[in-house]
Amino acid sequence: MTITISDAKNHVNEDVTIQGWMYNRRGSGKIYFLQLRDGTGFMQGIVTPQESGEEAMAEAEKMTMESSCRVTGTITAHPKHDDVFELQVKKIEAIHIPDEEYPISKKEHGPDFLLDNRHLWLRSGKQWAIQRVRNTIINATYEYLNQNEFIKIDAPILTPNACEGTTELFEIEYFDEGNAYLSQSGQLYIEAAIMSHGRVFDFGPVFRAEKSKTRRHLTEFWMMDAEMAFVEHEENIKIQEELVCHIIKKVLEVNQKELKILERDVEPLKKVEAPFIRKTHAEVVAELKEMGSDIEENHDLGGDDETILTKKYDKPIFVDRYPAEVKAFYMKRDPNDETRALCVDLLAPEGYGEIIGGSQREDDYDVLLKRLKEHDLSEKDFSWYLDLRKFGSVPHSGFGFGLERIVGWICGTQHIRETIPFPRLISRITP
Ligand code: 4AD
Ligand code: MG
């Protein structure tokens, strides 16, 4: 019977076949330890002349790193470690033995070499673990949203106008229609859908032609935008908090093995419980200045500001009411202070920084039109968006999370490039 490694615990002392890859081999002519991987997990196969026979020994000897194979034998429980199983090999069928030496070895490789070989690097233990955690985060997000009356609305990727500022747009020629742009966020489109469905979300790739060469920036990344009718600033914050708690809870439930492979200290993750820390932008600026930052009252937080601030805390931080002048045109202003937007950014602790951006939206036609003009955006391009304020406008709010930023924080990776299968950076488009 063919089984998966993840199911080995249910087959102790049974004869089974595992199909996968041999990612390493230890031993010599007397005994071989095959390090096997099948996608669901990792397992050691033990080959000896006495138990496995000469034929299996010869086959084990022939196999090189990353050979694909079917290996048959008896599952045994590891004598010392709980929850570790081994395969006492009886038969090996090599499916494909590479002619060349596998380029990625146990020795240290530089990031460029690894990124050039990303198609192979994805097989490495840590990269395997990161993608598994990413998968859990995606599923937990869908789960939370589905349990809370959200409907998925797929926003277009080819768009005629900007959403988040015109300096970061990927421009393409669109037949006879002139320029089109790759979407920076589906937000504006899913705002249209709340009038039909109440609570909606999208989840897909977005694009930023940002000239930012940092450990936090990709040019293509995955965003989940949520948008909710009749939800105002405070409730918007509560929903973000609940969603993030749900994600963390799920990862801690499902991915203990992966977090261990990543050597992630799970103690800070366990502390992620509502309520999160909340500070106004003005408070944060004062705090940062005390820590030596040159940030000014009307500035956005820089990457370094986010790093030093969030290193101080082990819980996520909502930074509330940024200066309206540094934020997008669609944000509603604080009725008590017109210079501030009714927005929050959620910053992940331990130095990670912004993972979510959200706000209440301007719902008044005349005010929104004024904002468009202030931002030098064309009334014509946004006429459909203005229409939403013409026909049954309601107070509404929403937010967008950057999937890779969340994966990076939860996995504890140094750089965002490892959190997406095939990263797109300013100076990298391959493989
Ligand atoms: O803060 P941003 O730009 O907000 C929006 O796009 C809103 N339209 C979202 C909304 O309200 N529906 O982007 C949202 C999140 C950020 O908080 C960050 O996590 C991530 O997207 N992000 C990036 N991730 C990787 N690389 C980049 N270049 C990113 N830019 C933003
Ligand atoms: Mg932002």
Side-chain angles (χ1 to χ4, degrees), residues 369-383:
L369 183 58
K370 193 171 127 215
R371 301 280 177 250
L372 278 169
K373 287 182 177 155
E374 284 166 6
H375 279 82
D376 260 336
L377 295 165
S378 129
E379 183 179 343
K380 189 168 143 278
D381 282 352
F382 287 92
S383 67

Side-chain angles (χ1 to χ4, degrees), residues 118 121-122 124-138 251 255 258-259 261-262 403-404 406-408 410-421:
R118 184 62 173 164
W121 188 26
L122 283 173
S124 301
K126 284 195 174 167
Q127 302 308 314
W128 174 87
I130 292 170
Q131 291 309 315
R132 307 278 287 197
V133 172
R134 179 180 167 114
N135 183 59
T136 304
I137 295 170
I138 294 169
V251 171
N255 295 120
E258 286 80 1
L259 294 169
I261 291 174
L262 293 166
L403 175 61
E404 291 74 16
I406 297 183
V407 175
I410 295 180
C411 290
T413 61
Q414 273 303 310
H415 197 293
I416 199 167
R417 63 192 168 213
E418 288 184 45
T419 62
I420 187 164

Side-chain angles (χ1 to χ4, degrees), residues 327 345 354 356-357:
K327 288 293 186 186
D345 277 3
E354 181 186 345
I356 303 186

Side-chain angles (χ1 to χ4, degrees), residues 324 331-335 338-342 362 371 374:
M331 292 188 181
K332 196 176 178 70
R333 302 282 173 99
D334 181 353
E338 277 287 309
T339 67
R340 300 276 169 182
L342 278 182
E362 183 50 67
R371 301 280 177 250
E374 284 166 6

Side-chain angles (χ1 to χ4, degrees), residues 164 208 300 306 327 331 344-345 354 356-358 400 405:
E164 286 302 315
R208 304 271 169 109
D300 205 347
E306 290 185 5
K327 288 293 186 186
M331 292 188 181
V344 280
D345 277 3
E354 181 186 345
I356 303 186
R405 297 263 183 102

Side-chain angles (χ1 to χ4, degrees), residues 37 74 94 96 103 163 193 243 251 266 306 367 371-372 387 418:
R37 179 187 82 232
T74 315
H96 178 246
C163 171
L243 169 63
V251 171
V266 293
E306 290 185 5
V367 177
R371 301 280 177 250
L372 278 169
D387 262 0
E418 288 184 45

